Amino acid sequence: MSPKESSPKPISPAHNDDILRTFFYEKILNQSMCEQILTAHWDPQRTAEYLALQEQYLPGFKNYKPQNLQALGQIPENMWIRQYLHPLLTHFNARHYQFEATHLSEVQLMTLKEGEAIDWYSNIGIGPFALRKICLFIILSERSAYEGGRIHSLVKSAPQSQGAVIITPSIATLCIQPVTQGELKLLFT
């Protein structure tokens, strides 16, 4: 290539400052929706299968696995939860990340009891978890039901009221501080 010829410019996606950010939104779900999720029937067979998948394909999962996880599975009366979450994730993805995300990971209920926490981790993995792009957490517990349990990203944390949503790319690093009293219940995918 002669000095007068310009070198080819790389093709790259549009600039996105949100790509590693975690976003906190208050009161996306109302109290009634949170209570319906908390009283839903969870699938014990799917829970066992999904825990085994996470242990196999998510590096370090055994080190931070909460004691109490339940998977939603395909129980018909709970399909409204998936049907609500999919457009919500699609909206947040379009607004912040613009990932090519086509499916919803298993919906899980996590309960952290007094003294329990989750150390810094990310939700990237191999196999079926290599496709995970976005993680969504919804605070289901009323604020008066627990103390502690604050979710932190590397650069931010925010108040966590019932119905609040935390959205983050799966490559971001998060932790949940110890619950010091009561129980914190989270829905996540």
Side-chain angles (χ1 to χ4, degrees):
M1 188 177 287
S2 71
K4 290 185 178 184
E5 292 179 37
S6 63
S7 57
K9 292 185 180 187
I11 298 173
S12 63
H15 182 73
N16 184 354
D17 285 333
D18 287 350
I19 203 76
L20 290 175
R21 288 188 181 161
T22 298
F23 294 91
F24 296 80
Y25 291 92
E26 287 292 309
K27 299 184 183 197
I28 299 295
L29 272 72
N30 63 37
Q31 183 179 9
S32 174
M33 291 175 83
C34 291
E35 288 172 4
Q36 285 180 320
I37 293 169
L38 287 170
T39 59
H41 296 288
W42 298 82
D43 186 337
Q45 180 178 345
R46 181 61 182 151
T47 297
E49 293 167 357
Y50 203 67
L51 284 172
L53 281 173
Q54 289 177 105
E55 287 179 3
Q56 181 177 0
Y57 294 111
L58 284 174
F61 179 74
K62 291 178 186 177
N63 299 330
Y64 67 80
K65 176 176 82 173
Q67 298 298 312
N68 191 341
L69 280 177
Q70 296 173 292
L72 185 65
Q74 298 295 323
I75 297 175
E77 64 264 24
N78 294 341
M79 293 311 290
W80 72 269
I81 299 170
R82 288 180 153 286
Q83 291 166 353
Y84 180 82
L85 292 177
H86 194 271
L88 189 64
L89 272 169
T90 301
H91 167 77
F92 286 128
N93 180 41
R95 183 174 185 174
H96 297 297
Y97 306 118
Q98 297 91 44
F99 292 133
E100 287 186 31
T102 58
H103 72 284
L104 183 64
S105 294
E106 183 63 60
V107 178
Q108 297 178 83
L109 174 67
M110 177 185 354
T111 302
L112 294 175
K113 297 180 180 181
E114 188 173 326
E116 294 181 338
I118 297 180
D119 204 356
W120 292 101
Y121 77 102
S122 63
N123 274 300
I124 52 175
I126 57 176
F129 296 96
L131 299 174
R132 181 181 274 172
K133 308 254 179 26
I134 301 170
C135 297
L136 176 115
F137 297 83
I138 300 174
I139 307 298
L140 298 174
S141 297
E142 291 184 40
R143 192 65 193 115
S144 61
Y146 69 97
E147 289 182 20
R150 196 163 182 129
I151 297 175
H152 288 273
S153 71
L154 283 176
V155 295
K156 182 178 182 180
S157 71
Q160 295 171 192
S161 60
Q162 185 180 45
V165 168
I166 297 98
I167 184 96
T168 186
S170 60
I171 57 175
T173 305
L174 296 173
C175 77
I176 303 176
Q177 290 183 327
V179 173
T180 57
Q181 187 175 2
E183 290 184 348
L184 169 59
K185 294 185 181 252
L186 303 161
L187 183 77
F188 76 100
T189 184

